Amino acid sequence: MLGLEKKLMKQWEGKSAQELADAPVTAIAGVSEGDAEKLQAAFNIKTVRDLGTNKYFRWAQGIVALAD
């Protein structure tokens, strides 16, 4: 399944990419409920899709890609 097994919480393994995109950020291994609360408070991020499409994170990724 997409090679993401180690990057997800156990209950999200085997889900489709669509299901994962719409999952809460806590579906990602290592993201706690506290982390999720902070992401929502700071950036209104609730889902994996929100996290992956957040403009500030995308800008940071672009800068790092140019620097590497």
Side-chain angles (χ1 to χ4, degrees), residues 13-40:
E13 291 179 9
K15 302 289 185 183
S16 71
Q18 182 64 39
E19 290 172 304
L20 293 173
D22 294 332
V25 292
T26 55
I28 299 172
V31 179
S32 70
E33 288 291 337
D35 297 332
E37 290 171 8
K38 289 175 181 151
L39 285 167
Q40 184 172 358

Side-chain angles (χ1 to χ4, degrees), residues 52-64:
T53 60
N54 178 275
K55 68 181 179 181
Y56 302 110
F57 296 160
R58 292 178 73 167
W59 293 347
Q61 288 174 342
I63 292 166
V64 170

